[in-house]
Amino acid sequence: MTFGSTIAATNSDLLSPDLGNRLHAFVSELYPICSSITGNGLREILRRIGQRIPLQIHEVPTGTQAFDWIVPREWNIRDAYVQNSRGEKIIDFKSSNLHVMNYSVPVNAKLSLEELKPHLYTLPDRPDWIPYRTSYYRETWGFCLTQRQLDSLPEDEYEVVIDSSLEDGSLTYAECLIQGKSREEILISCHACHPSLCNDNLSGLAVATFLAQVLAGTEPRFSYRFLFIPGTIGSISWLSRNENVVPRIKHGLVLACVGDPGAFSYKKSRRGNTEIDRAFLHLLAASGNPYNVRDFSPYGYDERQYCSPGFNLPVGSLNRTQHGKFPEYHTSADNLSFVTPESLASTLHFCLEVFRLLENNLTYLNLNPKCEPQLGKRGLYRLMGGLPDAGTRELAMLWTLNLSDGNHSLLDIAERSSLHFDVILQATRDLEQAGLLSSQTR
Ligand SMILES: [Zn+2]
């Protein structure tokens, strides 16, 4: 049974028409949680994911060396506000997680407006949006607010409270392994460290969680390893603890910013021509929809670590609108209305299409390689006489027979013939059934 039909047979309820709404509802569920690269907010995000898929949670102690990095102290926050002399909270962490600079150290002080201002961050060009700011590796504190709020602040004595802690603890990450027939793996990685930002990063978490749910009901050829990790330090920590797993990774994908209505944008692996790169390029081109393909660059998400020269893994990255290229990026406008059920669902379907291609991209051997076999006597030629696609199907059989010399995968044949992978796959099945091809697992 093929991967595709297994999904359809066993998990059709998971892919039902309200998939987009269910993905969006999961984004909404995670939205209020104040995540970070460590701490209880991140743990709560992972706990919610773990209610849907089998997760293994890992805790890496503060101070642990991970290649050139050291796992930082754990940050937790309970409350934060700026209060004016009348006792009114004019900036309140409880109304938006973004109001506090992530990793702010504790503060309890009374400050004038002038003293407070160096700790306030706004977006002058977007006066109604709150920026997202972090300070993981420099001990400081800050508040983020709208430019309009800042402009309205009078001279006053302000009480500034950040009830946070920065202490030895651990860094948390989670993995979900869907066991396939083979130990060879497909890695899907997404960061879980941003608070209350929907496209970057809740969309990736939601799509990855649902992908794991769908795949768990199939019997895939590959094993699928999903990583839910804090950005940068999470992938570095995972790689440093899993060098024995790395050789099993045959394909990989970093998922981020996959819920906005923009076209798909695929960033190639550092190698630039790996099977997953080619699978994305083939299916994006065949989709008939607008799309972008970018070459690898050492700037972006965790593909930077997976594709560092010491690993050089075949890991690409899928986004819709690229990070930094939409004005809502890293602001309060990356909210629940910025990501749509349709975009979330179509990202999930597209990822499944890519996985299905990879699952089925085998190499076959023509059992009748001396001249063309006579297709007519096997009922293969003009099988669909009169139908408009009969020509394509016959062409697909001829290409598949000709290139199935043991050296060409089905994707090689699809690329060479300019025919859709699915057409080549169908031709392969027809020819296999007629005894003209045998499969060779690579
Ligand atoms: Zn980000």
Side-chain angles (χ1 to χ4, degrees):
M1 190 181 271
T2 71
F3 178 72
S5 62
T6 310
I7 283 181
T10 60
N11 269 331
S12 52
D13 53 327
L14 291 170
L15 296 171
S16 62
D18 71 338
L19 171 69
N21 290 330
R22 287 184 288 118
L23 282 160
H24 197 274
F26 191 39
V27 170
S28 307
E29 180 187 330
L30 301 179
Y31 184 65
I33 302 167
C34 186
S35 196
S36 183
I37 56 170
T38 62
N40 292 328
L42 174 62
R43 287 191 188 94
E44 180 61 16
I45 295 262
L46 300 178
R47 192 183 70 80
R48 304 284 181 116
I49 293 171
Q51 288 175 338
R52 293 164 182 263
I53 54 174
L55 267 195
Q56 221 187 341
I57 308 277
H58 303 267
E59 299 281 352
V60 189
T62 300
T64 303
Q65 188 87 32
F67 300 121
D68 198 40
W69 295 60
I70 291 173
V71 170
R73 285 184 289 169
E74 179 178 325
W75 183 69
N76 282 293
I77 183 153
R78 289 159 290 276
D79 196 10
Y81 56 84
V82 175
Q83 189 167 277
N84 65 20
S85 56
R86 292 200 300 272
E88 297 161 338
K89 286 183 183 171
I90 49 145
I91 308 172
D92 191 352
F93 170 69
K94 295 216 159 88
S95 71
S96 170
N97 291 325
L98 298 183
H99 274 318
V100 174
M101 178 190 277
N102 209 278
Y103 254 68
S104 281
V105 295
V107 177
N108 194 336
K110 289 203 157 100
L111 301 178
S112 69
L113 183 59
E114 283 318 300
E115 290 168 320
L116 179 59
K117 267 186 176 170
H119 293 279
L120 300 182
Y121 299 87
T122 64
L123 293 165
D125 295 343
R126 302 280 177 179
D128 292 313
W129 296 357
I130 306 167
Y132 163 57
R133 293 281 183 274
T134 65
S135 186
Y136 300 138
Y137 298 101
R138 189 173 66 93
E139 283 192 23
T140 184
W141 61 270
F143 282 89
C144 302
L145 67 165
T146 68
Q147 182 66 40
R148 236 178 268 286
Q149 258 180 308
L150 177 61
D151 293 341
S152 72
L153 293 185
E155 282 302 335
D156 200 349
E157 187 184 59
Y158 291 97
E159 186 187 350
V160 180
V161 172
I162 296 182
D163 180 10
S164 65
S165 58
L166 187 57
E167 296 164 342
D168 283 357
S170 58
L171 172 147
T172 316
Y173 68 82
E175 49 190 334
C176 167
L177 184 67
I178 308 292
Q179 194 64 52
K181 294 186 188 82
S182 159
R183 275 164 57 85
E184 295 189 333
E185 294 186 4
I186 297 183
L187 178 80
I188 297 106
S189 175
C190 40
H191 60 290
C193 50
H194 292 22
S196 302
L197 295 168
C198 289
N199 203 32
D200 176 22
N201 56 196
L202 297 178
S203 66
L205 297 181
V207 169
T209 302
F210 278 54
L211 275 172
Q213 255 184 340
V214 172
L215 291 165
T218 66
E219 289 182 345
R221 175 160 72 96
F222 290 110
S223 296
Y224 288 76
R225 187 182 297 271
F226 289 84
L227 296 185
F228 302 94
I229 52 177
T232 307
I233 186 67
S235 51
I236 292 171
S237 298
W238 185 84
L239 283 163
S240 75
R241 292 156 58 98
N242 289 278
E243 287 202 71
N244 60 324
V245 175
V246 166
R248 303 212 292 267
I249 298 173
K250 295 302 160 194
H251 317 286
L253 185 63
V254 170
L255 272 180
C257 300
V258 289
D260 69 275
F264 283 124
S265 180
Y266 178 74
K267 177 179 170 182
K268 293 186 202 174
S269 70
R270 179 175 181 269
R271 295 192 219 162
N273 195 30
T274 63
E275 208 174 317
I276 193 163
D277 296 328
R278 291 167 53 209
F280 267 100
L281 262 58
H282 180 77
L283 292 173
L284 285 168
S287 72
N289 298 318
Y291 65 93
N292 299 298
V293 172
R294 291 129 58 204
D295 283 328
F296 177 79
S297 70
Y299 183 71
Y301 295 109
D302 288 307
E303 69 278 6
R304 288 160 24 219
Q305 315 310 332
Y306 303 122
C307 295
S308 57
F311 290 106
N312 203 18
L313 288 171
V315 175
S317 177
L318 182 66
N319 318 135
R320 282 178 172 278
T321 308
Q322 193 190 335
H323 60 90
K325 295 285 166 70
F326 51 97
E328 296 84 355
Y329 173 75
H330 282 189
T331 79
S332 55
D334 183 1
N335 59 22
L336 289 167
S337 56
F338 185 58
V339 295
T340 70
E342 297 72 28
S343 294
L344 291 163
S346 91
T347 301
L348 185 142
H349 280 291
F350 194 69
C351 289
L352 284 178
E353 230 187 296
V354 170
F355 297 156
R356 182 171 172 274
L357 188 158
L358 296 170
E359 291 273 331
N360 286 293
N361 188 29
L362 301 175
T363 299
Y364 289 78
L365 198 62
N366 181 343
L367 299 174
N368 190 102
K370 291 183 174 166
C371 300
E372 290 176 355
Q374 199 187 346
L375 298 177
K377 73 179 181 193
R378 296 176 171 88
L380 293 172
Y381 193 68
R382 293 288 142 89
L383 191 65
M384 305 287 283
L387 292 181
D389 72 338
T392 305
R393 293 190 56 178
E394 286 159 11
L395 201 54
M397 282 191 276
L398 295 175
W399 272 110
T400 304
L401 284 167
N402 189 281
L403 290 179
S404 289
D405 54 5
N407 295 317
H408 296 91
S409 71
L410 296 193
L411 182 56
D412 292 330
I413 302 172
E415 288 175 341
R416 179 91 173 260
S417 65
S418 300
L419 294 169
H420 195 289
F421 183 86
D422 286 348
V423 175
I424 297 296
L425 182 61
Q426 187 56 52
T428 303
R429 287 182 182 150
D430 292 342
L431 291 167
E432 207 179 7
Q433 200 155 22
L436 292 171
L437 281 186
S438 81
S439 65
Q440 279 194 330
T441 32
R442 289 170 305 156

